[in-house]
Amino acid sequence: MVEFEQGIDRRTGKAIAVSILSMPQMPQTAPFPSVAGGDRMLGSIVVDAKPPPKSAGPDEEGGQMGRIQYETSGESFFLPFSHCDLTTKGTQLEPGDQVTFTMETCKRTGALQAYDVQKLDQQVERHQGVICSCKDSFGFIERSDVVKEIFFHYSEFQGDINDLKLGDDVEFTVQDRHGKEVAVNMVKLPHGTVVFENISDTRFIGQIAKVIGRSHRQSTSDLLPGRLTYAEKSVEKEIQFGDKDVCADFTYREGDTVEFNIATDRRDSMQHATNIEFLETSFDSSEEPRETGIVAVVKEGFGFIKCAEREARMFFHFSEFLKPGTIPRVQDEVEFTISEDQTSNKPVAIRIKLLPRGSISFETVLQEKYSGIVEKEAISQRQSTRSPKKNGTNKDSGVGELGEIKYEVDGKEQTIKFVMKDVDIRNVPKCGDKVEFQICEQRRNSQHTAKNIKVMSRAPGQRHRGLVATLKENFGFIETLERDREIFFHYSSFDGDPNDLDIGDMLEYTLASKNGKQSAEGVLLLTSAADASGVARLEVEEKVLEGKVVRPMRSSNPEQEEYAGLVQVGVEDNENAKMYPFTIVSLTNKQEFLQKGDLVTFRLTKPANGGDVFAAHLEAQRKVVQSRVESLKGQFGFIGYEVEEGKKLFFHVSEVVGGVELQVGDVVEFIIIQNKRSGKTSACNVKKISEARAPRPERLLSRLKSISMDESQPRVVALRQPRGPDGRPGFALIRAAAVSVA
């Protein structure tokens, strides 16, 4: 038997055998099948591969290549292999030994070569492990026989690689490739087949001596950073544990009492604590401050708790519940600990425990009962039309506008607030009603409110007086004589023609409640001077002061909370200047629209019965501007005065003094003001000065446009004015009517 290479004869161009070598005679054996076990081939050893000398490095290639003979389709072929291609390192082969192998192309030389060579009668050792890491095309297996991980390529998995995931149990063969062990011929095992450790049946109780911090959880250098202390047979011991050994993900603290098992690793007999469960007796033995509250908001994985002991809402994560897998619901009552988050440095709720319904109370109701008079009615959130900011309430509290009750304690008059939900909806208290109530103290802020309010007697109908503060299209507002608030009224409640009303008119009315909101009913206009005098009951000092408006009235700036405006003494900015409140009653011209910074003159009221001092006879010292009306459009128009380039000044017909009907071209004088909310300017206190001149006829305007202004053309000069027949200017002769002839 010979071995040869195929060449080409240069003379004839035919194929010839060259480099012929004599091969040793082999014993006669049965012909080999071409394929065994799928892609594995069957052959026999012709020359055994020899390893490199011991002086070579572990990753250094070398040594003598071996050869394998195999047959296919009646022809014999030979493949080289090296000692690194043996399935089991160190396997002794002799010429004639039957082997199985795989045939692949060498990436370095491009020639076919035998790989994964295994003796036919050799038992290959199989190993087990768990997938612990998966990358793009490879991964690692944690072995069950030694404390070690082994590399594998996805191509070595016998099955669909998409079915392989972290934590799967696998079986594999270890093969040496270039001096490194790799896993080959991998198959998936049923879950739970691979066991790394033996877990004791005995449950132990101990305390946490060292917790696992967030930095340790992200680190792979120390797999068991936690420490537990426990007593076994009166001997104090310490044992390690890792992040995977605790049964819940909430925050643990040093000193917590826990129950656990002891696990012994089969590979190296190392012990650690596992199946660690928190015992709630930890709260009894520690001085950890615990708070209570109700789950107010639930999002995806987190939420917020309404605390019973503090105002702020507390953030929490689902993982902080003591019972693993808890999904909280809104209105769940909970107990928790406050801790500072390491990332945001904000307080958060941790170590959360669900409580039975009815365990939490946000308030304490005193047993003693009191009686008082309702000064202000409460309005529910649904019926209130004002913003929560102006109400002084939280928009999420749902309490609406607060009511007020005046009562006496030990001869001292006090005021307490109440909300609509604390009254009997079938017998809602009104202004002036006598009521009985109990005092409720809020645990969060120690505030007192009235609760369990019952009407004892209704107030008789009482007439009130006030001044017209605002007039709109079909409603208005009345300023009380106490100058502390405005009362809404509808024109349908006014006994008379609403067109007769003007800003500053004195009205008389009774208070009523419509849709839970206070309003004026039975509104009458007081026409006599004695009845209508709003400031006649207060004496005014003679001294006239100069100052400027520091804060306008709420009618000028609806966003401000205070109703009254403020005026300071002196026109220069001075924080220490004296300031006095003013309202509609204070204005000499009740239609005056005062803004912040306006210069004014005023006098002061003399305090009566210890009351406050108000500004009176308030007059604005503004610059008056004149111009012509440029256009009129229904209820508004524009004046030919440019505040901004290309924009005429806007005015509303309600700002025209005396209700005079204006025409285009009328000369008017006015004051320029700016709206604080929109930032737009407009004219107010518009007064008509003179009529507009009659427009020229259209025919004359057309004639004037056609007249040439050329000086060289002849011009007509009037020598005298026309006279009538009697010599007088014009024609004064009266013509007789024409008489018809039958």
PDB file of all heavy atoms in Angstrom, residues 699-720:
ATOM      1  N   ARG A 699     -68.874 113.131  -3.647  1.00  0.00           N
ATOM      2  CA  ARG A 699     -68.633 113.774  -4.955  1.00  0.00           C
ATOM      3  C   ARG A 699     -67.533 114.828  -4.859  1.00  0.00           C
ATOM      4  O   ARG A 699     -66.734 114.993  -5.777  1.00  0.00           O
ATOM      5  CB  ARG A 699     -69.920 114.384  -5.494  1.00  0.00           C
ATOM      6  CG  ARG A 699     -70.541 115.419  -4.550  1.00  0.00           C
ATOM      7  CD  ARG A 699     -71.848 115.969  -5.121  1.00  0.00           C
ATOM      8  NE  ARG A 699     -72.465 116.902  -4.191  1.00  0.00           N
ATOM      9  CZ  ARG A 699     -72.090 118.168  -4.035  1.00  0.00           C
ATOM     10  NH1 ARG A 699     -71.069 118.638  -4.758  1.00  0.00           N
ATOM     11  NH2 ARG A 699     -72.708 118.952  -3.178  1.00  0.00           N
ATOM     12  N   LEU A 700     -67.497 115.521  -3.691  1.00  0.00           N
ATOM     13  CA  LEU A 700     -66.479 116.547  -3.524  1.00  0.00           C
ATOM     14  C   LEU A 700     -65.103 115.927  -3.318  1.00  0.00           C
ATOM     15  O   LEU A 700     -64.104 116.424  -3.827  1.00  0.00           O
ATOM     16  CB  LEU A 700     -66.840 117.445  -2.335  1.00  0.00           C
ATOM     17  CG  LEU A 700     -65.854 118.597  -2.046  1.00  0.00           C
ATOM     18  CD1 LEU A 700     -65.702 119.493  -3.275  1.00  0.00           C
ATOM     19  CD2 LEU A 700     -66.327 119.420  -0.851  1.00  0.00           C
ATOM     20  N   LEU A 701     -65.068 114.819  -2.587  1.00  0.00           N
ATOM     21  CA  LEU A 701     -63.792 114.131  -2.399  1.00  0.00           C
ATOM     22  C   LEU A 701     -63.239 113.636  -3.722  1.00  0.00           C
ATOM     23  O   LEU A 701     -62.034 113.728  -3.986  1.00  0.00           O
ATOM     24  CB  LEU A 701     -63.953 112.963  -1.416  1.00  0.00           C
ATOM     25  CG  LEU A 701     -64.305 113.340   0.022  1.00  0.00           C
ATOM     26  CD1 LEU A 701     -64.565 112.081   0.847  1.00  0.00           C
ATOM     27  CD2 LEU A 701     -63.176 114.149   0.656  1.00  0.00           C
ATOM     28  N   SER A 702     -64.127 113.105  -4.594  1.00  0.00           N
ATOM     29  CA  SER A 702     -63.692 112.637  -5.914  1.00  0.00           C
ATOM     30  C   SER A 702     -63.191 113.802  -6.761  1.00  0.00           C
ATOM     31  O   SER A 702     -62.216 113.690  -7.498  1.00  0.00           O
ATOM     32  CB  SER A 702     -64.846 111.919  -6.625  1.00  0.00           C
ATOM     33  OG  SER A 702     -65.278 110.826  -5.856  1.00  0.00           O
ATOM     34  N   ARG A 703     -63.893 114.954  -6.634  1.00  0.00           N
ATOM     35  CA  ARG A 703     -63.477 116.136  -7.401  1.00  0.00           C
ATOM     36  C   ARG A 703     -62.112 116.630  -6.946  1.00  0.00           C
ATOM     37  O   ARG A 703     -61.267 116.993  -7.767  1.00  0.00           O
ATOM     38  CB  ARG A 703     -64.532 117.242  -7.213  1.00  0.00           C
ATOM     39  CG  ARG A 703     -64.177 118.558  -7.877  1.00  0.00           C
ATOM     40  CD  ARG A 703     -64.095 118.424  -9.375  1.00  0.00           C
ATOM     41  NE  ARG A 703     -63.793 119.717 -10.018  1.00  0.00           N
ATOM     42  CZ  ARG A 703     -63.340 119.848 -11.258  1.00  0.00           C
ATOM     43  NH1 ARG A 703     -63.101 118.750 -11.996  1.00  0.00           N
ATOM     44  NH2 ARG A 703     -63.129 121.037 -11.761  1.00  0.00           N
ATOM     45  N   LEU A 704     -61.899 116.650  -5.641  1.00  0.00           N
ATOM     46  CA  LEU A 704     -60.614 117.114  -5.127  1.00  0.00           C
ATOM     47  C   LEU A 704     -59.467 116.229  -5.589  1.00  0.00           C
ATOM     48  O   LEU A 704     -58.352 116.705  -5.825  1.00  0.00           O
ATOM     49  CB  LEU A 704     -60.656 117.177  -3.601  1.00  0.00           C
ATOM     50  CG  LEU A 704     -61.546 118.274  -3.010  1.00  0.00           C
ATOM     51  CD1 LEU A 704     -61.634 118.113  -1.493  1.00  0.00           C
ATOM     52  CD2 LEU A 704     -61.002 119.654  -3.358  1.00  0.00           C
ATOM     53  N   LYS A 705     -59.735 114.927  -5.691  1.00  0.00           N
ATOM     54  CA  LYS A 705     -58.682 114.011  -6.138  1.00  0.00           C
ATOM     55  C   LYS A 705     -58.287 114.241  -7.590  1.00  0.00           C
ATOM     56  O   LYS A 705     -57.156 113.944  -7.998  1.00  0.00           O
ATOM     57  CB  LYS A 705     -59.138 112.558  -5.947  1.00  0.00           C
ATOM     58  CG  LYS A 705     -59.290 112.164  -4.485  1.00  0.00           C
ATOM     59  CD  LYS A 705     -59.788 110.745  -4.372  1.00  0.00           C
ATOM     60  CE  LYS A 705     -59.984 110.361  -2.895  1.00  0.00           C
ATOM     61  NZ  LYS A 705     -60.520 108.977  -2.759  1.00  0.00           N
ATOM     62  N   SER A 706     -59.233 114.754  -8.398  1.00  0.00           N
ATOM     63  CA  SER A 706     -58.958 114.932  -9.835  1.00  0.00           C
ATOM     64  C   SER A 706     -58.350 116.294 -10.159  1.00  0.00           C
ATOM     65  O   SER A 706     -57.939 116.539 -11.285  1.00  0.00           O
ATOM     66  CB  SER A 706     -60.257 114.740 -10.631  1.00  0.00           C
ATOM     67  OG  SER A 706     -61.201 115.751 -10.274  1.00  0.00           O
ATOM     68  N   ILE A 707     -58.321 117.226  -9.182  1.00  0.00           N
ATOM     69  CA  ILE A 707     -57.778 118.569  -9.441  1.00  0.00           C
ATOM     70  C   ILE A 707     -56.260 118.486  -9.593  1.00  0.00           C
ATOM     71  O   ILE A 707     -55.574 117.873  -8.768  1.00  0.00           O
ATOM     72  CB  ILE A 707     -58.156 119.538  -8.300  1.00  0.00           C
ATOM     73  CG1 ILE A 707     -59.664 119.764  -8.298  1.00  0.00           C
ATOM     74  CG2 ILE A 707     -57.412 120.865  -8.440  1.00  0.00           C
ATOM     75  CD1 ILE A 707     -60.150 120.637  -7.154  1.00  0.00           C
ATOM     76  N   SER A 708     -55.772 119.122 -10.658  1.00  0.00           N
ATOM     77  CA  SER A 708     -54.331 119.156 -10.895  1.00  0.00           C
ATOM     78  C   SER A 708     -53.704 120.249 -10.040  1.00  0.00           C
ATOM     79  O   SER A 708     -54.263 121.344  -9.888  1.00  0.00           O
ATOM     80  CB  SER A 708     -54.050 119.408 -12.379  1.00  0.00           C
ATOM     81  OG  SER A 708     -52.668 119.563 -12.592  1.00  0.00           O
ATOM     82  N   MET A 709     -52.545 119.963  -9.493  1.00  0.00           N
ATOM     83  CA  MET A 709     -51.814 120.915  -8.665  1.00  0.00           C
ATOM     84  C   MET A 709     -50.707 121.615  -9.449  1.00  0.00           C
ATOM     85  O   MET A 709     -49.825 122.234  -8.882  1.00  0.00           O
ATOM     86  CB  MET A 709     -51.220 120.199  -7.449  1.00  0.00           C
ATOM     87  CG  MET A 709     -52.259 119.533  -6.564  1.00  0.00           C
ATOM     88  SD  MET A 709     -53.459 120.707  -5.937  1.00  0.00           S
ATOM     89  CE  MET A 709     -52.413 121.692  -4.883  1.00  0.00           C
ATOM     90  N   ASP A 710     -50.789 121.557 -10.819  1.00  0.00           N
ATOM     91  CA  ASP A 710     -49.757 122.175 -11.664  1.00  0.00           C
ATOM     92  C   ASP A 710     -49.895 123.700 -11.605  1.00  0.00           C
ATOM     93  O   ASP A 710     -50.950 124.262 -11.942  1.00  0.00           O
ATOM     94  CB  ASP A 710     -49.905 121.669 -13.096  1.00  0.00           C
ATOM     95  CG  ASP A 710     -48.728 122.087 -13.975  1.00  0.00           C
ATOM     96  OD1 ASP A 710     -47.853 122.824 -13.461  1.00  0.00           O
ATOM     97  OD2 ASP A 710     -48.714 121.662 -15.145  1.00  0.00           O
ATOM     98  N   GLU A 711     -48.828 124.405 -11.172  1.00  0.00           N
ATOM     99  CA  GLU A 711     -48.855 125.857 -11.002  1.00  0.00           C
ATOM    100  C   GLU A 711     -48.916 126.592 -12.342  1.00  0.00           C
ATOM    101  O   GLU A 711     -49.320 127.751 -12.413  1.00  0.00           O
ATOM    102  CB  GLU A 711     -47.627 126.309 -10.201  1.00  0.00           C
ATOM    103  CG  GLU A 711     -47.579 125.790  -8.779  1.00  0.00           C
ATOM    104  CD  GLU A 711     -48.670 126.406  -7.919  1.00  0.00           C
ATOM    105  OE1 GLU A 711     -49.169 127.489  -8.267  1.00  0.00           O
ATOM    106  OE2 GLU A 711     -49.013 125.783  -6.887  1.00  0.00           O
ATOM    107  N   SER A 712     -48.478 125.944 -13.443  1.00  0.00           N
ATOM    108  CA  SER A 712     -48.455 126.620 -14.760  1.00  0.00           C
ATOM    109  C   SER A 712     -49.832 126.712 -15.403  1.00  0.00           C
ATOM    110  O   SER A 712     -50.047 127.460 -16.341  1.00  0.00           O
ATOM    111  CB  SER A 712     -47.488 125.889 -15.689  1.00  0.00           C
ATOM    112  OG  SER A 712     -47.952 124.554 -15.900  1.00  0.00           O
ATOM    113  N   GLN A 713     -50.792 125.962 -14.918  1.00  0.00           N
ATOM    114  CA  GLN A 713     -52.142 125.970 -15.482  1.00  0.00           C
ATOM    115  C   GLN A 713     -52.885 127.214 -15.010  1.00  0.00           C
ATOM    116  O   GLN A 713     -52.644 127.710 -13.909  1.00  0.00           O
ATOM    117  CB  GLN A 713     -52.878 124.702 -15.037  1.00  0.00           C
ATOM    118  CG  GLN A 713     -52.266 123.396 -15.549  1.00  0.00           C
ATOM    119  CD  GLN A 713     -52.363 123.277 -17.057  1.00  0.00           C
ATOM    120  OE1 GLN A 713     -53.313 123.773 -17.687  1.00  0.00           O
ATOM    121  NE2 GLN A 713     -51.360 122.639 -17.656  1.00  0.00           N
ATOM    122  N   PRO A 714     -53.842 127.772 -15.835  1.00  0.00           N
ATOM    123  CA  PRO A 714     -54.649 128.944 -15.418  1.00  0.00           C
ATOM    124  C   PRO A 714     -55.522 128.592 -14.232  1.00  0.00           C
ATOM    125  O   PRO A 714     -56.043 127.484 -14.146  1.00  0.00           O
ATOM    126  CB  PRO A 714     -55.485 129.272 -16.675  1.00  0.00           C
ATOM    127  CG  PRO A 714     -55.498 128.011 -17.463  1.00  0.00           C
ATOM    128  CD  PRO A 714     -54.182 127.335 -17.200  1.00  0.00           C
ATOM    129  N   ARG A 715     -55.673 129.538 -13.292  1.00  0.00           N
ATOM    130  CA  ARG A 715     -56.449 129.303 -12.090  1.00  0.00           C
ATOM    131  C   ARG A 715     -57.626 130.266 -12.039  1.00  0.00           C
ATOM    132  O   ARG A 715     -57.564 131.396 -12.510  1.00  0.00           O
ATOM    133  CB  ARG A 715     -55.575 129.489 -10.851  1.00  0.00           C
ATOM    134  CG  ARG A 715     -54.359 128.565 -10.846  1.00  0.00           C
ATOM    135  CD  ARG A 715     -53.521 128.816  -9.622  1.00  0.00           C
ATOM    136  NE  ARG A 715     -54.249 128.452  -8.418  1.00  0.00           N
ATOM    137  CZ  ARG A 715     -53.791 128.643  -7.192  1.00  0.00           C
ATOM    138  NH1 ARG A 715     -52.601 129.205  -7.012  1.00  0.00           N
ATOM    139  NH2 ARG A 715     -54.513 128.297  -6.140  1.00  0.00           N
ATOM    140  N   VAL A 716     -58.734 129.812 -11.441  1.00  0.00           N
ATOM    141  CA  VAL A 716     -59.939 130.638 -11.290  1.00  0.00           C
ATOM    142  C   VAL A 716     -59.900 131.262  -9.913  1.00  0.00           C
ATOM    143  O   VAL A 716     -59.710 130.564  -8.910  1.00  0.00           O
ATOM    144  CB  VAL A 716     -61.222 129.799 -11.466  1.00  0.00           C
ATOM    145  CG1 VAL A 716     -62.454 130.664 -11.231  1.00  0.00           C
ATOM    146  CG2 VAL A 716     -61.242 129.180 -12.849  1.00  0.00           C
ATOM    147  N   VAL A 717     -60.105 132.581  -9.839  1.00  0.00           N
ATOM    148  CA  VAL A 717     -60.080 133.321  -8.587  1.00  0.00           C
ATOM    149  C   VAL A 717     -61.454 133.946  -8.373  1.00  0.00           C
ATOM    150  O   VAL A 717     -62.006 134.603  -9.271  1.00  0.00           O
ATOM    151  CB  VAL A 717     -58.999 134.410  -8.587  1.00  0.00           C
ATOM    152  CG1 VAL A 717     -59.010 135.183  -7.266  1.00  0.00           C
ATOM    153  CG2 VAL A 717     -57.638 133.800  -8.851  1.00  0.00           C
ATOM    154  N   ALA A 718     -62.085 133.727  -7.204  1.00  0.00           N
ATOM    155  CA  ALA A 718     -63.400 134.311  -6.897  1.00  0.00           C
ATOM    156  C   ALA A 718     -63.235 135.794  -6.631  1.00  0.00           C
ATOM    157  O   ALA A 718     -62.477 136.186  -5.735  1.00  0.00           O
ATOM    158  CB  ALA A 718     -64.009 133.609  -5.690  1.00  0.00           C
ATOM    159  N   LEU A 719     -63.937 136.640  -7.370  1.00  0.00           N
ATOM    160  CA  LEU A 719     -63.860 138.090  -7.203  1.00  0.00           C
ATOM    161  C   LEU A 719     -64.790 138.566  -6.115  1.00  0.00           C
ATOM    162  O   LEU A 719     -64.486 139.513  -5.399  1.00  0.00           O
ATOM    163  CB  LEU A 719     -64.185 138.788  -8.526  1.00  0.00           C
ATOM    164  CG  LEU A 719     -63.211 138.456  -9.683  1.00  0.00           C
ATOM    165  CD1 LEU A 719     -63.659 139.178 -10.964  1.00  0.00           C
ATOM    166  CD2 LEU A 719     -61.785 138.864  -9.322  1.00  0.00           C
ATOM    167  N   ARG A 720     -65.980 137.953  -5.965  1.00  0.00           N
ATOM    168  CA  ARG A 720     -66.895 138.299  -4.897  1.00  0.00           C
ATOM    169  C   ARG A 720     -67.727 137.074  -4.559  1.00  0.00           C
ATOM    170  O   ARG A 720     -67.856 136.155  -5.353  1.00  0.00           O
ATOM    171  CB  ARG A 720     -67.791 139.459  -5.301  1.00  0.00           C
ATOM    172  CG  ARG A 720     -68.783 139.132  -6.437  1.00  0.00           C
ATOM    173  CD  ARG A 720     -69.729 140.294  -6.689  1.00  0.00           C
ATOM    174  NE  ARG A 720     -70.614 140.005  -7.808  1.00  0.00           N
ATOM    175  CZ  ARG A 720     -71.729 139.274  -7.710  1.00  0.00           C
ATOM    176  NH1 ARG A 720     -72.071 138.750  -6.537  1.00  0.00           N
ATOM    177  NH2 ARG A 720     -72.489 139.064  -8.768  1.00  0.00           N
TER     178      ARG A 720
END
